[in-house]
Amino acid sequence: MALGFECPLWVPVSDGPFDLTSARAVDGNKPWSAGAGACALATGLTESAWILSRVRQCLAEGEAATTRAYLDWHEFEDSKAGLFVWEAFVTGEAKSKCQDKAKRHIDDARKACDEFIERLPDPTTECVEEPTGPIHSLIGGVLLWAGWSDDPALLRTGCLVVRPDA
């Protein structure tokens, strides 16, 4: 199973203090720390923790208690089972123009999923190669918190970012 969250799931940690809030390559001209990105990050932290803990609880009650979560597509693919977590980044002209707020979110989620599916069998193709330096993995922290792993290396592990075009 693959699950995408539309919020920054990792942020760069630059050596230079003036670059700490700079854009990731995938962000384009607006850094993750700008208004919409920062707001989505804060909301996504609690939502991803809630969702992933509930999924983990459901799996623990069934026969899939040993299901593993992955942030690397090729590890996930090699395992033939598990949960692959990725970042959906729907912005700019790709955003839904629908007046109904709830429908806008659904449209954006669908666009991200369609883009992910279109890239199969390898969704990492046509993606900006990131991260290129040290990062703080918010989703790695969530996976640790929700009991998917006990590997602290996840705190420094990025994930795939899928950014659909308009």
Side-chain angles (χ1 to χ4, degrees):
M1 178 188 333
L3 180 60
F5 291 97
E6 191 186 1
C7 61
L9 294 181
W10 59 270
V11 295
V13 180
S14 172
D15 288 334
F18 296 109
D19 296 327
L20 289 173
T21 57
S22 296
R24 307 172 299 175
V26 72
D27 292 334
N29 63 350
K30 290 187 182 176
W32 65 268
S33 59
C39 184
L41 181 146
T43 302
L45 274 176
T46 57
E47 290 179 346
S48 61
W50 186 88
I51 290 167
L52 288 171
S53 68
R54 295 310 186 277
V55 171
R56 187 77 190 133
Q57 287 171 2
C58 289
L59 291 173
E61 294 168 4
E63 295 178 21
T66 59
T67 300
R68 184 170 167 212
Y70 296 88
L71 299 177
D72 180 276
W73 173 257
H74 301 292
E75 287 180 19
F76 169 70
E77 188 176 39
D78 290 345
S79 76
K80 308 279 190 243
L83 173 66
F84 177 68
V85 182
W86 53 283
E87 178 182 329
F89 185 20
V90 183
T91 189
E93 291 300 313
K95 294 289 283 178
S96 172
K97 309 297 187 260
C98 183
Q99 295 301 312
D100 181 312
K101 185 177 180 180
K103 181 144 176 26
R104 264 197 324 263
H105 289 301
I106 293 167
D107 290 348
D108 290 348
R110 184 173 289 122
K111 184 166 277 197
C113 289
D114 288 347
E115 180 71 19
F116 180 87
I117 291 166
E118 188 174 304
R119 292 179 182 192
L120 292 173
D122 184 355
T124 65
T125 58
E126 299 180 32
C127 284
V128 176
E129 287 295 320
E130 287 194 288
T132 57
I135 65 153
H136 175 76
S137 178
L138 305 162
I139 195 62
V142 166
L143 290 171
L144 290 168
W145 180 86
W148 285 91
S149 176
D150 59 3
D151 183 0
L154 284 173
L155 296 171
R156 298 175 187 271
T157 304
C159 67
L160 173 68
V161 180
V162 174
R163 182 177 176 170
D165 292 328

